[in-house]
């Protein structure tokens, strides 16, 4: 079981190697004049803390956005959809384990990469979500602001995770930015509002679930970093 | 297409399973009216979960094994599997242990009767959405502080996360909610969600027993767990005296210091304060001549003043007042403004300054009462006399009510007699000598007894009377402070002194009849009718029969009384010495009410 998974992960990394090469995104620091200078360093723990804070905030905001959307546009009987955690979330290139035992057996590297992958997979759908939400007649401003905010925060989260990977794993991974999504965005809104509403609702639910995953992984990682013994055993 | 189809199917499925999963948290109470259905699924720690069901109305399915639970995860479209573990100890419970619990995956469970191959109920959920954490443990409190008054206190409440929840590894992030209430009250106070394991509660009352409890839920989820055990908080009230002690000391010292300051202030500024708080009562002019007047006063004023004294011969003033009057008549421009009767009548041209109370020395027509030509109301006089100024406009004929309507004068004939004491330019009414009568005597009560204007007849006596009256008036008028009693006393004390009887002239009343405002200033209409008594410089015209009473029409700045001629009617009631007030009983002391005014105006 584990071997299969390890093989899968390795295959994934290898297959995406050329993609990573083609998108070199060096993290450079620039001062006021614009010239490249040595970036000020930050300790790994602090960075991890900040990344976790980002993930927590994103998760909370995603939940609030979901609630806002649900209150405005989704009729009450369909609120149960939320309990189901989304029906049509787009599948990831690799499955993420769901049980605690399995997750605890995942390596740090795996955790970080999973987080990174999750973050990157949501960048485009969120932008799409912003455009669709703008088409709603009475979308509350809070909802629009939140989705916009989340998009921005995802970018910075991605950068943080990349730096973490570089620091913790000593890997110089260049962030790939293109992922295939099973959920293709529609260019035009569907004439039937409920369908597009359902779709957006679903999107928000799936995003909330994935944000929860990110946060959980990062927290597990932190526990491992601080206190390896108690975190690994349960 | 497939997508929309699946969505539609999902919608339908949701509606079917709505009863179970419509709310976030499932209820445990089975619905007896329904058939077999799931009553709830719960996870305590996000690692395992349980589901319960009920047979409902189908009692024949209650035996174990009749109803079975099948589940399916939606990760990969796996087939339906049966419940991994039916709990033996609890009836109708299906338990999913750690290996079967996957978070972030959708589970669908079905309640089937295998024998009949019927699916009675189905519901779908994800595990993290059904997590109800266990209650926190180890709830305790410590006192933070007590307010200075001893009435309020703050506490810090602490707890520990439930042991089943793996918070340490970060598997679950919990937030807590503290609630408290006064013991046995019905309403719980809720505090904000707290992600730490302690919270302060502020503003609790001493002497009240409080109950505090706490519960938790996963952050960004909605399902609260059960409450933990409540704890009791109670702080006895301690009356603290230490805090009040310095306060009282400070107060005492402050008060003492203030008192000392005040005393010092008073003693240092004694003279000034005396002047401010206890202004000197104006000395009666009778005692001497005002030196200021000597310096600054006009001749007329001086004359009038000196005439009130004993030292001058009364004859000396026979001419002067007359002359004065004439002079005044010419000099005073204000008089010309007041020249028309109508103006007086309307009282428009004279703004309140002229408080001229015209006493029409009219006949008693229209007035059944007797008018009492006694000493005028001291208060009225006081207002009359120009303590204010000697100007004509300020001629204060009684202005009790603030009316400057000439009508006032009319009614006053019976009540207040005011003899305008005119020595000055201020008194334009001097034009009409008709308005004067000689004061012949002062009644013991302080009334003025006027004699008809036989100027030459016993002028001395008249002067004396006039002087007496004048003095009395002066006394009365000096400052509005003298009361009626004082006036009486003064009148009693004052020795008769010669005065310019020319200043007192009678004014026949009958002329008043047609004119409301005959009296004071103009002779115009009444001239022909009203005989007036002039000082001996001018021959007196036909004088009305001498009566003992007349009406004081005006008191000028010089404390001269301008008297109305006495009524020509025989029906002159003897004055009642005991009454200062006019015969009209309803009239207050010198105060004219509009209705009375109406009564009086002829």
């Amino acid at each position: 079981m584990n071997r299969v998974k390890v093989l899968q992960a390795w295959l994934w990394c290898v297959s995406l190697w050329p993609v990573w090469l083609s998108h070199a995104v060096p993290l450079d620091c620039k001062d006021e004049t614009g010239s490249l200078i040595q970036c000020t360093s930050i300790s790994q723990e602090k960075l991890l803390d900040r990344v976790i804070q980002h993930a927590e905030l994103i998760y909370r905001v995603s939940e609030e956005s979901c609630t806002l959307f649900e209150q405005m546009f989704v009729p009450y009987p369909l609120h149960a959809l939320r309990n189901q955690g989304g029906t049509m979330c787009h599948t990831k290139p690799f499955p993420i384990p769901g049980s605690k035992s399995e997750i605890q057996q995942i390596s740090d590297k795996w955790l970080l990469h999973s987080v990174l992958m999750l973050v990157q997979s949501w960048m485009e759908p969120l932008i799409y979500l912003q455009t669709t939400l703008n088409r709603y007649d009475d979308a509350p401003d809070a909802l629009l602001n939140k989705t916009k905010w989340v998009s921005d925060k995802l970018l910075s989260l991605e950068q943080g995770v990349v730096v973490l990977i570089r620091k913790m794993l000593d890997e110089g991974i260049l962030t790939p930015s293109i992922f295939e999504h099973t959920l293709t965005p529609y260019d035009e809104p569907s004439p039937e509002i409920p369908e597009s509403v359902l779709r957006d609702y679903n999107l928000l639910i799936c995003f909330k679930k994935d944000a929860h995953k990110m946060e959980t992984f990062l927290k597990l990682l932190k526990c491992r970093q601080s206190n390896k013994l108690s975190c690994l055993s349960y | 297409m497939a997508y929309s189809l699946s969505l539609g199917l999902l919608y339908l499925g949701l509606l079917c399973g709505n009863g179970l999963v419509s709310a976030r948290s499932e209820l445990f109470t089975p619905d007896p009216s329904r058939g077999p259905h799931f009553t709830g699924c719960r996870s305590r720690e996000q690692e395992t979960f349980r589901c319960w069901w009920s047979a409902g109305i189908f009692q024949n399915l209650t035996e174990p094994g009749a109803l079975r639970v099948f589940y399916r995860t939606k990760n990969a479209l796996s087939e339906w599997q049966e419940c991994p573990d039916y709990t033996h100890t609890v009836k109708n419970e299906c338990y999913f242990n750690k290996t079967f619990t996957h978070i972030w995956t959708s589970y669908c469970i079905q309640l089937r009767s295998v024998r009949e191959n019927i699916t009675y109920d189905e519901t779908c959920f994800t595990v993290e959405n059904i997590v109800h954490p266990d209650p926190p443990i180890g709830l305790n409190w410590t006192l933070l502080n007590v307010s200075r008054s001893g009435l309020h206190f703050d506490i810090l409440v602490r707890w520990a996360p439930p042991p089943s929840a793996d918070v340490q590894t970060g598997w679950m992030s919990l937030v807590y909610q503290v609630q408290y209430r006064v013991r046995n009250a019905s309403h719980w106070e809720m505090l904000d969600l707290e992600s730490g394991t302690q919270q302060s509660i502020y503003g609790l009352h001493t002497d009240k027993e409080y109950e505090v409890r706490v519960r938790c839920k996963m952050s960004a989820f909605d399902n609260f767990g059960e409450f933990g055990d409540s704890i009791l908080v109670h702080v006895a009230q301690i009356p603290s005296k230490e805090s009040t002690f310095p306060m009282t000391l400070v107060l005492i010292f402050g008060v003492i210091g203030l008192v000392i300051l005040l005393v010092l202030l008073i003693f240092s500024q004694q003279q000034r304060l005396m002047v401010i708080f206890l202004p000197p009562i104006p000395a009666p002019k009778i005692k001497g001549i005002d030196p200021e007047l000597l310096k600054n006063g006009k001749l007329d004023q001086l004359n009038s003043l000196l005439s009130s004294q004993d030292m001058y011969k009364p004859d000396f003033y026979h001419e002067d007042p007359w002359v004065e009057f004439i002079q005044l008549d010419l000099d005073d421009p204000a008089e010309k403004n007041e020249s028309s009767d109508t103006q007086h009548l309307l009282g428009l041209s004279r703004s309140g300054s002229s408080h001229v109370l015209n006493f029409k020395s009219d006949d008693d027509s229209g007035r059944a009462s007797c008018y009492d030509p006694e000493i005028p109301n001291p208060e009225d006089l006081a207002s009359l006399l120009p303590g204010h100024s000697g100007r004509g406009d300020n001629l204060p004929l009684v202005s009790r009510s603030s009316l400057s309507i000439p009508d006032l004068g009319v009614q006053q004939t019976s009540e207040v007699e005011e003899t305008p004491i005119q020595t000055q330019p201020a008194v334009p009414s001097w034009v009409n000598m008709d308005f004067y009568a000689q004061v012949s005597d002062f009644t013991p009560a302080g009334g003025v007894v006027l004699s008809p204007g036989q100027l030459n007849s016993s002028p001395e006596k008249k002067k004396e009377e006039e002087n007496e009256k004048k003095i009395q008036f002066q006394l009365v008028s000096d400052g509005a402070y003298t009361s009626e009693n004082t006036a009486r006393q003064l009148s009693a004390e004052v020795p008769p002194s010669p005065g310019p009887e020319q200043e007192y002239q009678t004014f026949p009343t009958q002329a008043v009849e047609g004119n409301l405002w005959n009296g004071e200033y103009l002779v115009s209409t009444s001239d022909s009718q009203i005989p007036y008594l002039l000082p001996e410089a001018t021959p007196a015209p036909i004088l009305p029969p001498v009566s003992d009473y007349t009406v004081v029409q005006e008191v000028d700045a010089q404390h001269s009384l301008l008297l109305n001629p006495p009524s020509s009617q025989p029906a002159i009631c003897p004055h009642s010495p005991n009454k200062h007030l006019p015969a009209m009983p309803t009239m207050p002391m010198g105060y004219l009410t509009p209705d009375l005014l109406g009564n009086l105006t002829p």
Side-chain angles (χ1 to χ4, degrees):
Chain A
M1 192 65 178
N2 285 338
R3 267 193 216 167
V4 169
K5 287 199 175 170
V6 171
L7 188 61
Q8 273 180 350
W10 186 79
L11 274 174
W12 169 70
C13 291
V14 167
S15 63
L16 290 174
W17 181 255
V19 180
W20 293 343
L21 272 181
S22 62
H23 295 86
V25 179
L27 286 176
D28 292 326
C29 300
K30 299 185 181 181
D31 62 355
E32 298 89 47
T33 60
S35 58
L36 298 176
I37 57 169
Q38 183 80 16
C39 297
T40 55
S41 64
I42 180 173
S43 74
Q44 190 174 305
E45 285 174 27
K46 265 196 184 174
L47 181 60
L48 185 57
D49 284 340
R50 285 196 197 174
V51 167
I52 288 174
Q53 279 172 10
H54 265 70
E56 272 179 342
L57 271 174
I58 289 170
Y59 174 52
R60 245 184 279 158
V61 171
S62 72
E63 198 265 346
E64 289 166 7
S65 309
C66 196
T67 309
L68 270 174
F69 187 88
E70 183 180 273
Q71 285 168 354
M72 280 293 295
F73 303 112
V74 180
Y76 183 68
L78 291 179
H79 288 189
L81 258 179
R82 200 161 162 187
N83 259 0
Q84 303 183 15
T87 54
M88 295 291 292
C89 297
H90 52 272
T91 57
K92 304 294 179 295
F94 60 95
I96 291 177
S99 69
K100 184 183 176 187
S101 51
E102 287 178 5
I103 290 172
Q104 280 183 329
Q105 289 168 11
I106 299 176
S107 63
D108 294 354
K109 178 174 178 174
W110 185 263
L111 283 176
L112 274 172
H113 282 293
S114 305
V115 171
L116 186 63
M117 182 271 298
L118 282 167
V119 170
Q120 287 164 345
S121 70
W122 272 103
M123 287 186 172
E124 205 175 300
L126 277 180
I127 295 171
Y128 159 73
L129 186 66
Q130 281 182 65
T131 52
T132 46
L133 281 178
N134 282 329
R135 291 193 194 131
Y136 282 71
D137 286 337
D138 48 355
D141 284 338
L143 181 59
L144 298 171
N145 293 341
K146 283 190 205 300
T147 45
K148 176 140 197 347
W149 183 88
V150 165
S151 298
D152 298 337
K153 284 301 170 197
L154 269 184
L155 277 171
S156 48
L157 180 64
E158 183 198 18
Q159 287 178 354
V161 173
V162 163
V163 171
L164 260 183
I165 288 173
R166 202 191 301 168
K167 279 198 169 182
M168 288 172 65
L169 309 176
D170 295 327
E171 296 175 9
I173 293 179
L174 307 173
T175 63
S177 60
I178 295 180
F179 271 91
E180 283 194 15
H181 305 289
T182 56
L183 198 63
T184 55
Y186 288 81
D187 291 335
E188 288 178 10
S190 166
E192 279 187 19
I193 292 183
E195 193 175 323
S196 63
V197 168
L198 273 175
R199 190 180 56 236
D200 295 336
Y201 188 43
N202 199 40
L203 203 65
L204 282 167
I205 293 172
C206 293
F207 176 61
K208 185 200 163 182
K209 193 164 74 171
D210 287 345
H212 187 224
K213 287 182 196 171
M214 289 183 233
E215 185 197 352
T216 309
F217 287 168
L218 287 168
K219 283 193 173 170
L220 278 171
L221 191 67
K222 177 176 168 75
C223 179
R224 286 187 196 177
Q225 293 294 311
S226 59
N227 191 351
K228 294 218 169 186
L229 275 173
S230 66
C231 289
L232 281 175
S233 66
Y234 65 92
Chain B
M1 180 59 190
Y3 179 59
S4 56
L5 255 180
S6 59
L7 277 177
L9 280 174
L10 173 68
Y11 184 51
L12 284 172
L14 282 171
L15 286 177
C16 294
N18 194 21
L20 179 62
V21 195
S22 56
R24 299 288 158 78
S25 66
E26 300 76 25
L27 301 173
F28 285 100
T29 53
D31 190 350
S33 62
R34 289 174 57 188
H37 58 277
F38 283 109
T39 53
C41 289
R42 280 213 179 175
S43 170
R44 284 169 57 217
E45 71 290 87
Q46 211 177 11
E47 295 168 32
T48 66
F49 70 97
R50 295 157 198 272
C51 284
W52 300 271
W53 70 91
S54 155
I57 56 177
F58 288 19
Q59 293 304 316
N60 53 350
L61 294 172
T62 49
E63 69 266 17
L67 288 169
R68 292 157 77 171
V69 173
F70 289 86
Y71 77 97
R72 191 181 69 164
T73 59
K74 285 203 175 164
N75 272 349
L77 244 65
S78 55
E79 64 275 7
W80 289 93
Q81 300 175 18
E82 195 169 352
C83 171
D85 186 11
Y86 291 98
T87 314
H88 301 290
T89 53
V90 181
K91 189 184 170 189
N92 293 348
E93 178 186 290
C94 180
Y95 172 68
F96 293 79
N97 59 13
K98 289 182 185 177
T99 51
F100 291 100
T101 306
H102 303 274
I103 60 174
W104 303 313
T105 56
S106 252
Y107 282 81
C108 284
I109 54 175
Q110 277 183 350
L111 190 65
R112 292 184 199 168
S113 164
V114 182
R115 220 177 295 156
E116 300 146 17
N117 207 11
I118 303 173
T119 300
Y120 288 105
D121 196 3
E122 182 173 350
T123 180
C124 299
F125 54 87
T126 53
V127 178
E128 63 265 22
N129 282 321
I130 59 167
V131 173
H132 292 72
D134 286 337
I137 59 170
L139 186 61
N140 59 6
W141 67 277
T142 51
L143 181 67
L144 279 179
N145 55 34
V146 182
S147 72
R148 228 186 257 180
S149 61
L151 297 173
H152 302 278
F153 64 99
D154 308 326
I155 59 169
L156 183 68
V157 185
R158 277 186 207 178
W159 59 87
S164 59
D166 193 1
V167 191
Q168 225 176 0
T169 59
W171 180 245
M172 287 170 71
S173 330
L174 295 176
V175 293
Y176 306 90
Q177 188 189 56
V178 175
Q179 293 184 1
Y180 69 96
R181 69 172 181 185
V182 181
R183 196 166 178 209
N184 296 333
S186 59
H187 173 66
W188 286 90
E189 297 284 341
M190 282 185 249
L191 300 177
D192 291 336
L193 292 176
E194 173 69 39
S195 55
T197 57
Q198 63 182 29
Q199 180 145 43
S200 341
I201 305 178
Y202 301 105
L204 298 176
H205 295 271
T206 53
D207 277 354
K208 279 189 190 172
E209 211 171 9
Y210 287 91
E211 221 178 322
V212 181
R213 62 181 187 181
V214 66
R215 63 178 179 176
C216 60
K217 74 173 175 86
M218 294 236 300
S219 92
F221 288 94
D222 304 324
N223 302 322
F224 273 105
E226 297 297 324
F227 280 103
D229 294 332
S230 309
I231 56 169
L232 292 175
V233 176
H234 178 70
V235 170
Q237 192 170 23
I238 303 170
S240 59
K241 290 184 183 173
E242 297 82 17
S243 61
T244 57
F245 180 62
M247 278 300 296
T248 51
L249 268 182
V250 165
L251 266 174
I252 288 170
F253 278 118
V255 165
I256 289 173
L258 217 70
V259 165
I260 291 173
L261 263 177
L262 268 175
V263 166
L264 281 174
L265 190 73
I266 287 172
F267 275 118
S268 64
Q269 306 285 335
Q270 198 171 13
Q271 300 304 320
R272 222 189 284 177
L273 284 177
M274 288 288 286
V275 173
I276 291 172
F277 286 114
L278 308 170
I281 297 172
K285 298 261 168 78
I286 190 176
K287 295 237 168 100
I289 297 175
D290 186 10
E292 293 297 317
L293 197 58
L294 279 176
K295 291 181 208 169
N296 307 325
K298 298 185 185 176
L299 187 61
D300 298 336
Q301 289 175 348
L302 264 179
N303 283 338
S304 66
L305 187 64
L306 293 175
S307 67
S308 69
Q309 308 303 321
D310 293 342
M311 32 187 149
Y312 295 91
K313 291 182 187 177
D315 291 343
F316 178 70
Y317 291 97
H318 279 242
E319 283 190 40
D320 293 346
W322 178 245
V323 172
E324 289 168 14
F325 300 149
I326 292 178
Q327 289 174 349
L328 287 169
D329 192 20
L330 296 175
D331 294 343
D332 193 350
E335 293 176 30
K336 294 166 191 170
N337 297 336
E338 302 155 347
S339 54
S340 70
D341 274 352
T342 44
Q343 283 180 358
H344 293 309
L345 283 175
L346 295 175
L348 295 178
S349 61
R350 338 199 37 206
S351 47
S353 60
S354 62
H355 317 283
V356 175
L357 206 125
N358 309 318
F359 293 132
K360 286 210 282 183
S361 61
D362 57 348
D363 53 0
D364 278 335
S365 65
R367 282 176 285 121
S369 58
C370 309
Y371 73 88
D372 203 355
E374 291 186 11
I375 191 169
N377 189 334
E379 296 173 1
D380 292 336
L381 271 187
S383 66
L384 274 188
L385 292 180
H388 332 298
S389 73
R391 295 298 176 154
D393 279 345
N394 291 345
L395 258 191
L397 269 200
V398 177
S399 63
R400 241 333 172 196
S401 49
S402 56
L403 296 175
S404 61
I405 304 174
D407 288 347
L408 275 178
V410 177
Q411 61 179 339
Q412 281 318 326
T413 51
S414 60
E415 52 177 306
V416 181
E417 305 166 39
E418 303 199 15
T419 316
I421 301 176
Q422 176 180 19
T423 52
Q424 268 337 322
V427 183
S429 60
W430 293 131
V431 180
N432 312 315
M433 301 310 156
D434 309 330
F435 302 131
Y436 308 118
Q438 286 185 353
V439 175
S440 57
D441 196 5
F442 287 98
T443 63
V448 174
V449 177
L450 297 174
S451 58
Q454 297 279 339
L455 196 61
N456 298 324
S457 63
S458 64
E460 295 192 1
K461 186 188 173 195
K462 288 170 195 166
K463 285 173 203 163
E464 288 178 6
E465 295 164 350
E466 288 162 359
N467 283 341
E468 201 178 321
K469 292 176 193 173
K470 198 205 295 188
I471 289 162
Q472 193 166 6
F473 295 145
Q474 286 175 353
L475 288 175
V476 164
S477 72
D478 267 319
Y481 307 110
T482 53
S483 65
E484 180 183 337
N485 290 334
T486 321
R488 282 188 203 161
Q489 289 166 9
L490 286 176
S491 69
E493 292 163 9
V494 168
S497 57
E501 63 273 12
Q502 294 81 3
E503 304 182 354
Y504 305 107
Q505 296 179 349
T506 59
F507 185 68
T509 58
Q510 68 266 14
V512 180
E513 201 156 6
N515 303 315
L516 285 182
W517 179 232
N518 274 346
E520 210 173 41
Y521 301 105
L522 292 189
V523 188
S524 58
T525 52
S526 56
D527 223 344
S528 57
Q529 301 174 19
I530 302 169
Y532 54 91
L533 182 65
L534 288 180
E536 27 186 41
T538 57
I542 304 169
L543 294 175
V546 179
S547 67
D548 286 346
Y549 308 109
T550 185
V551 175
V552 176
Q553 186 166 0
E554 193 177 7
V555 178
D556 71 345
Q558 305 311 314
H559 312 303
S560 320
L561 295 176
L562 307 177
L563 299 173
N564 285 335
S567 169
S568 57
Q569 292 176 358
I572 293 179
C573 304
H575 66 271
S576 51
N578 296 326
K579 280 177 60 173
H580 276 271
L581 288 175
M584 299 170 72
T586 58
M587 183 73 60
M589 293 278 280
Y591 182 74
L592 301 173
T593 59
D595 48 350
L596 291 170
L597 187 67
N599 291 342
L600 290 175
T601 42

